[in-house]
């Protein structure tokens, strides 16, 4: 075995050593790339002119319009956290589901899905629900471990429900359409939310003492919940029915018809809305996020806007919402801009480091080494997928999703391409798997976020153990996505949105 064939595994091993030493990821990648680049030049196994391509690659990163969506969505998420949107939703939905055992938990899952579809940022969801819902759940007798788990699982829905930042990064790294990735993610998103609901119902049936109903004195509108719930369900049925009819109309009229149908139905329900304050509050708290969901997600799915344009509209909508709720101040704006700048710089530096690493790695034929290793795994495509999913799951214990996406995914994509695996479906599998990285100790970020805002009576072990059932449910969704490859791809190509 000559030195040239040893360069790729040595380079990979050096990166692992740097990462385990605790050195910053971006600089670890860059340092390994530079050291092995000059070593390869000295040994005459790496073409020196190839390094001249690095400035062009950095310029390509900086001019990538798709990546501009990341700071937009991050900024929007931080502003929405301060706007009172989560508080209004959680308060209203908690009262709506309050008469049911597990009602507060169901409201947390519901609001988690809504927040995920508006912000796409996990930190905002965890902190908002941890500050608002967890003390109330504990006050009325919820099991601390179960309450913590519900909040953790619901907050990580922002990882898979569009407009997830994770899906944008995966699309960019794999070179697939973000719109198609968003459409494909709708199926696992619905499955995940459905499994969460079923789990809460299971606990309510078999562990009723863990999830007591709210007492009447905690529900000022007691007796009016059924009417409000029925009215909200009727809106869903009218919207779905109008959309089904609208499929036969031109694309521009399809959504207009849905809006008109919901408007007419509101006029029909006007007597109920006037007499039922809970229904009125529910509608007022749900309209702003639903408008934002259409601005951010709907415009991408129907092809009216790119993710970057949709993110810009979402930022404007979030600022207007914060201003209307009298929550927009210089301090809020400064904090949002500071948080966005930090995350954006973090992402860009990792991208630059990973680009330098991959340039040198490919220059020493590392891509051929990776392809040979991955395609040589026993079991062919099944063995490859199993290996990748286990690897991504284990990496999630130690490094965050950005690092996995920028370091591991480009290498794993080489094997997927060699085995003719559809990149969209492969990226979706990785995206669903990355949900678990926020819940797996010791470095699950959702665990840290909740620990920071949880009351002192909630033990750290309660938070860690509470997330385990939701990790299991996410892995169950991953299994469903594996077996539903053809239906998902058919949905994206022929059953998506738009005329």
């Amino acid at each position: 075995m000559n030195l040239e064939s040893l360069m790729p595994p040595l380079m990979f091993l050096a990166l692992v050593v740097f990462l385990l030493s605790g050195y910053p990821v971006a600089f670890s990648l860059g340092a390994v790339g530079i050291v092995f680049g000059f070593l390869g030049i000295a040994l005459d196994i790496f073409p020196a002119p190839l390094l001249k391509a690095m400035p062009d690659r950095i310029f390509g990163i900086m001019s990538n319009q798709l990546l501009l969506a990341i700071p937009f969505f991050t900024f929007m998420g931080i502003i929405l956290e301060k706007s009172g949107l989560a508080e209004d939703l959680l308060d209203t939905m908690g009262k709506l589901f309050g008469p049911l055992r597990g009602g507060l938990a169901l409201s947390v899952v519901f609001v988690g899905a809504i927040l995920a579809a508006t912000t796409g940022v996990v930190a905002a969801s965890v902190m908002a629900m941890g500050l608002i819902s967890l003390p109330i759940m504990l006050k009325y007798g919820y099991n601390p471990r179960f309450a913590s788990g519900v909040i953790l699982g619901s907050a990580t829905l922002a990882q898979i429900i569009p407009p997830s930042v994770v899906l944008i990064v995966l699309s960019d790294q794999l070179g697939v359409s973000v719109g198609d990735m968003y459409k494909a993610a709708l199926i696992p998103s619905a499955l995940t939310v459905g499994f969460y609901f079923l789990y809460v119902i299971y606990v309510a049936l078999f562990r009723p003492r863990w999830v007591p109903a709210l007492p009447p004195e905690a529900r000022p509108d007691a007796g009016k919940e059924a009417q409000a719930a029925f009215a909200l369900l009727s809106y869903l049925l009218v919207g779905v029915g109008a959309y089904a009819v609208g499929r036969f109309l031109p694309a521009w009229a399809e959504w207009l018809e849905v809006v008109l149908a919901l408007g007419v139905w509101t006029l029909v329900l006007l007597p109920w809305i006037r007499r039922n304050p809970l229904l009125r509050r529910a509608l007022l708290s749900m309209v702003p996020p639903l408008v934002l969901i259409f601005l951010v997600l709907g415009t991408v799915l129907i092809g009216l806007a790119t993710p970057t344009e949709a993110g810009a509209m979402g930022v404007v909508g979030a600022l207007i919402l914060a201003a209307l709720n009298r929550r927009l101040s210089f301090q809020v704006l400064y904090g949002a801009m500071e948080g966005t700048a930090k995350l954006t710089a973090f992402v860009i530096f990792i991208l630059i480091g990973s680009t330098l690493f991959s340039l040198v790695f490919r220059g020493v034929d590392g891509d051929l080494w990776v392809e040979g290793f991955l395609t040589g795994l026993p079991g062919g495509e099944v063995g490859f997928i199993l290996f990748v999913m286990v690897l991504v799951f284990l990496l999630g214990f130690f490094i965050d999703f950005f690092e996995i996406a920028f370091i591991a995914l480009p290498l794993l994509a080489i094997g997927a391409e060699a085995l003719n695996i559809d990149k969209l479906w492969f990226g979706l599998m990785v995206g669903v798997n990355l949900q678990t990285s926020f819940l797996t100790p010791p470095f699950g970020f959702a665990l840290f976020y909740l620990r920071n805002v949880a009351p002192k009576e909630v033990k750290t072990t309660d938070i860690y153990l509470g997330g385990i059932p939701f990790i299991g449910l996410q892995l169950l969704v991953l299994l469903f996505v594996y077996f539903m490859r053809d239906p998902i791809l058919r949905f994206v190509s022929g059953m998506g949105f738009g005329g």
Side-chain angles (χ1 to χ4, degrees):
M1 185 178 290
N2 57 29
L3 187 59
E4 186 174 357
S5 63
L6 286 175
M7 283 288 278
L10 286 175
M11 196 172 173
F12 188 77
L13 182 63
L15 176 62
V16 172
V17 171
F18 264 98
L19 293 176
L20 291 178
S21 71
Y23 202 67
V25 174
F27 304 121
S28 297
L29 288 162
V32 171
I34 290 173
V35 168
F36 276 84
F38 285 120
L39 181 62
I41 293 170
L43 297 174
D44 199 28
I45 56 178
F46 178 78
L50 198 57
L51 283 180
K52 295 179 182 178
M54 191 60 201
D56 288 334
R57 289 198 170 199
I58 294 176
F59 182 77
I61 293 170
M62 298 301 181
S63 59
N64 188 334
Q65 291 287 319
L66 178 59
L67 293 177
L68 191 59
I70 294 175
F72 277 141
F73 285 129
T74 304
F75 185 81
M76 182 180 72
I78 297 173
I79 292 292
L80 285 175
E81 181 192 346
K82 310 293 185 183
S83 70
L85 173 75
E87 294 176 33
D88 293 342
L89 268 174
L90 284 165
D91 179 62
T92 306
M93 292 301 118
K95 289 181 172 64
L96 184 67
F97 291 111
L100 304 174
R101 288 191 181 276
L104 282 177
L106 291 173
S107 70
V108 167
V109 175
F110 178 82
V111 174
I114 295 290
L115 291 178
T118 50
T119 67
V121 180
V122 171
S125 298
V126 174
M127 296 181 76
M129 292 193 289
L131 284 168
I132 301 162
S133 289
L134 188 54
I136 296 173
M137 295 168 87
L138 296 175
K139 178 182 176 181
Y140 291 109
Y142 268 63
N143 179 278
R145 184 178 300 176
F146 175 77
S148 301
V150 168
I151 289 173
L152 289 170
S154 302
T156 57
L157 289 170
Q159 285 282 89
I160 192 62
I161 294 180
S164 163
V165 171
V166 178
L167 299 179
I168 294 173
V169 173
L170 294 177
S171 300
D172 178 70
Q173 292 297 297
L174 293 171
V176 299
S177 162
V178 176
D180 286 347
M181 185 67 84
Y182 279 0
K183 291 177 186 178
L186 292 176
I187 293 177
S189 300
L191 283 173
T192 307
V193 174
F195 285 154
Y196 284 4
F197 273 122
L198 290 175
Y199 176 62
V200 172
I201 293 169
Y202 168 82
V203 172
L205 290 174
F206 296 99
R207 296 283 191 276
R209 287 188 296 178
W210 286 15
V211 286
L214 286 181
E217 58 268 22
R219 295 183 279 117
D221 300 305
K224 297 182 178 179
E225 296 92 349
Q227 186 186 63
F230 177 78
L232 293 176
L233 180 61
S234 72
Y235 270 103
L236 177 63
L237 297 175
V238 168
V240 172
Y243 175 74
V245 174
R247 299 287 294 173
F248 301 100
L249 299 175
W252 63 268
E254 188 174 333
W255 289 97
L256 179 62
E257 192 237 0
V258 173
V259 173
L260 288 173
L262 293 175
V264 171
W265 189 244
T266 300
L267 293 176
V268 173
L269 292 180
L270 206 53
W272 281 16
I273 296 171
R274 286 174 175 166
R275 291 195 303 266
N276 192 327
L278 181 59
L279 174 58
R280 191 162 57 247
R281 283 203 306 273
L283 290 174
L284 288 175
S285 64
M286 289 181 66
V287 167
L290 290 176
V291 171
L292 271 179
I293 288 171
F294 176 75
L295 283 177
V296 175
L297 177 58
T299 53
V300 175
L301 292 177
I302 64 179
L304 288 179
T306 65
T308 304
E309 293 164 347
M313 289 191 291
V315 167
V316 173
L319 289 171
I320 293 172
L321 189 58
L324 291 174
N325 287 350
R326 298 181 181 180
R327 303 288 185 93
L328 190 61
S329 64
F330 175 77
Q331 288 78 11
V332 169
L333 278 174
Y334 182 83
M337 289 188 286
E338 183 181 36
T340 302
K342 285 180 179 177
L343 181 70
T344 305
F346 170 76
V347 171
I348 292 299
F349 271 100
I350 289 181
L351 257 177
I352 292 172
S354 66
T355 299
L356 178 56
F357 178 86
S358 66
L359 180 70
V360 176
F361 193 70
R362 288 177 181 269
V364 295
D365 294 331
D367 52 337
L368 300 178
W369 174 74
V370 170
E371 180 181 330
F373 172 76
L374 293 177
T375 55
L377 290 169
E381 180 186 304
V382 176
F384 168 76
I385 292 294
L386 182 62
F387 171 80
V388 169
M389 292 302 110
V390 171
L391 176 65
V392 170
F393 179 72
L394 293 177
L395 286 174
F397 280 77
F398 306 104
I399 58 179
D400 84 7
F401 70 91
F402 276 125
E403 293 158 359
I404 295 172
F406 292 139
I407 300 171
L409 189 59
L411 300 177
L412 299 174
I414 295 170
E417 191 170 356
L419 291 169
N420 294 316
I421 296 172
D422 186 273
K423 284 187 177 181
L424 178 65
W425 175 77
F426 179 70
L428 185 63
M429 290 277 291
V430 173
V432 174
N433 199 334
L434 283 176
Q435 265 191 290
T436 63
S437 68
F438 269 84
L439 296 178
T440 47
F443 299 121
F445 286 97
L447 304 173
F448 296 150
Y449 296 143
L450 187 58
R451 177 65 280 172
N452 286 337
V453 299
K456 291 181 180 179
E457 61 263 32
V458 178
K459 300 176 183 177
T460 301
T461 52
D462 288 333
I463 294 174
Y464 276 60
L465 294 174
I468 291 176
F470 293 89
I471 294 174
L473 293 173
Q474 289 168 359
L475 293 176
L476 183 61
V477 172
L478 183 65
L479 192 64
F480 270 80
V481 173
Y482 175 77
F483 288 108
M484 292 174 65
R485 169 168 32 183
D486 291 338
I488 290 172
L489 295 178
R490 281 199 303 271
F491 172 76
V492 173
S493 62
M495 297 176 66
F497 292 78

